[in-house]
Amino acid sequence: MLVSELMLQQTQVGRVVPKFDEFMSRFPTIGDLAGASEEQVLEQWSGLGYYRRARLLLGLARSLVERAAPIPDSVEALQQLPGIGPYTAAAIASFAFGRRAVTLDGNVRRVAARFLGFEGDARGRQANARFTEWILGLMEEAPPGTINEALMELGATVCTPAGPVCGVCPFKEGCLAWGSGAPDRYPGPRTARAPESERWVAACVFADDGRILVTKVISGPILRGLWLPPWIGASGAGQDDGEARARALLPVMVKPAGAGREVRHSVTYRRIRIMPFLYELLDERAVPDGWRLVRSEDPGVPTSSLLAKLSEACKPGWIEWNTRRETLNE
DNA sequence: AAGTCGGGGCA
DNA sequence: TGCCCAGACTT
């Protein structure tokens, strides 16, 4: 439950399920997890995003094992653990231990905001107090875990963000949003940072057997600790300029082999467009420490979905297409 | 309270 | 393209 709830933070169930199964077979017990390296845990987490969660989960496992402590059964104690905030503490306390705790996640906030006709910030303090009060009342009628799960499921399947299916909703009577005739007007819009566009160039070096050259992301605000082809910002750079910038990232002699298809990758508010430049590796033995050749479909190192995107964008079909388009433009 | 972190699915 | 998702942590 610890693993699944950490994975489920801001991540939809359908994307968690396969990762969860793999993770649990790789680390069946909390002891296995505590004994693993950060690299090993991040490798299992690859593609899920919000990689801090993986590091926090590892720290959590280690601290429990070190103290020979059981997993706490109260909200307060759970929330002291790294990576466990108000939602996750309530989820584990109610699901695993039957405690009377309210899981205020995005789904439940939406359901509550609609039922109560709550105007204002559905993530603020007032909302917390009002929603919790209502849900604690519901828990007089059924076990806390049942109520929590029911509200989440209702939000995920019926009381959806857009186009809620009010016709089949068991809470329709008494729902102020339904009564208002415009249920999807609740909750009010969330404040979000405006998206910003970035352009990168990446250097994608391939060995004869199709393996791609990656290195660990050391600096920068995002994707730190993951293994990826080297990239650098190149806003405003032209094709030749971009290629020069990409090649300068490389630690080995290579043979330029054109450009791939542009890749789009989003990281929170950043909308990044990446031009991959292709290279052939001349001498595999020249790959220095800190760099590795990996198969993109089975890297064996911590990485992001960006690796597969870049690799895919460099496949021969795309290269030909890109070359043809450039020729036409000329 | 606001800013930050991945990534994909969906209208 | 904008919005959202079984949020937590830092400032």
Side-chain angles (χ1 to χ4, degrees):
Chain A
M1 195 170 289
L2 277 172
V3 172
S4 69
E5 290 298 346
L6 268 287
M7 286 187 170
L8 284 163
Q9 291 169 5
Q10 291 289 283
T11 308
Q12 287 164 339
V13 179
R15 288 188 47 232
V16 164
V17 170
K19 290 286 180 186
F20 174 78
D21 291 339
E22 285 178 39
F23 194 97
M24 293 308 293
S25 54
R26 176 70 180 81
F27 308 114
T29 71
I30 200 162
D32 295 322
L33 184 55
S37 68
E38 184 175 301
E39 287 269 303
Q40 292 171 324
V41 177
L42 278 174
E43 185 184 341
Q44 293 301 310
W45 206 272
S46 293
L48 260 186
Y50 287 148
Y51 296 94
R52 176 171 55 184
R53 296 180 295 174
R55 299 183 172 99
L56 291 169
L57 177 59
L58 176 57
L60 192 165
R62 285 179 176 170
S63 80
L64 289 182
V65 166
E66 189 176 336
R67 292 179 287 143
I71 296 174
D73 62 359
S74 73
V75 169
E76 296 73 21
L78 282 163
Q79 211 174 326
Q80 299 303 310
L81 298 175
I84 298 191
Y87 163 77
T88 308
I92 295 173
S94 66
F95 296 146
F97 301 112
R99 298 299 190 102
R100 247 168 73 96
V102 174
T103 51
L104 285 184
D105 72 339
N107 286 314
V108 174
R109 289 180 188 282
R110 183 174 55 256
V111 171
R114 286 177 178 166
F115 187 85
L116 300 171
F118 186 86
E119 313 276 353
D121 181 6
R123 305 174 58 133
R125 278 201 126 68
Q126 285 188 43
N128 289 351
R130 184 80 186 85
F131 297 168
T132 299
E133 175 192 22
W134 175 57
I135 296 168
L136 284 176
L138 298 177
M139 288 177 177
E140 301 295 330
E141 312 295 324
T146 304
I147 296 294
N148 284 333
E149 192 175 356
L151 289 172
M152 282 188 253
E153 193 69 10
L154 187 70
T157 61
V158 175
C159 196
T160 49
V165 197
C166 298
V168 302
C169 182
F171 275 4
K172 169 171 50 181
E173 311 298 332
C175 175
L176 291 182
W178 183 68
S180 80
D184 51 2
R185 205 168 58 76
Y186 298 86
R190 185 172 2 182
T191 59
R193 174 165 179 175
E196 294 177 17
S197 296
E198 296 182 24
R199 283 178 182 280
W200 295 357
V201 292
C204 298
V205 179
F206 291 92
D208 294 339
D209 57 8
R211 285 180 301 163
I212 186 169
L213 189 67
V214 295
T215 188
K216 192 190 283 195
V217 180
I218 301 298
S219 59
I222 56 179
L223 304 176
R224 221 177 348 225
L226 307 183
W227 293 71
L228 289 164
W231 77 73
I232 190 167
S235 293
Q239 188 87 352
D240 293 346
D241 224 30
E243 196 279 328
R245 301 201 66 161
R247 201 191 312 194
L249 297 165
L250 296 174
V252 288
M253 297 291 289
V254 294
K255 176 180 168 192
R261 169 180 54 92
E262 185 178 78
V263 166
R264 297 163 198 249
H265 192 72
S266 291
V267 178
T268 66
Y269 63 88
R270 304 163 197 270
R271 287 212 292 252
I272 309 161
R273 299 158 70 119
I274 308 161
M275 179 56 67
F277 289 97
L278 277 68
Y279 303 92
E280 292 172 17
L281 184 60
L282 296 176
D283 182 2
E284 190 173 316
R285 294 165 301 180
V287 173
D289 284 349
W291 296 75
R292 295 187 57 174
L293 286 169
V294 302
R295 294 193 302 136
S296 59
E297 60 274 17
D298 179 25
V301 291
T303 190
S304 143
S305 67
L306 178 56
L307 174 63
K309 283 191 204 173
L310 285 171
S311 183
E312 186 69 23
C314 291
K315 287 193 171 167
W318 288 112
I319 301 169
E320 289 171 21
W321 176 83
N322 197 49
T323 306
R324 197 155 53 230
R325 189 188 58 175
E326 285 170 18
T327 307
L328 288 176
N329 288 344
E330 286 167 11

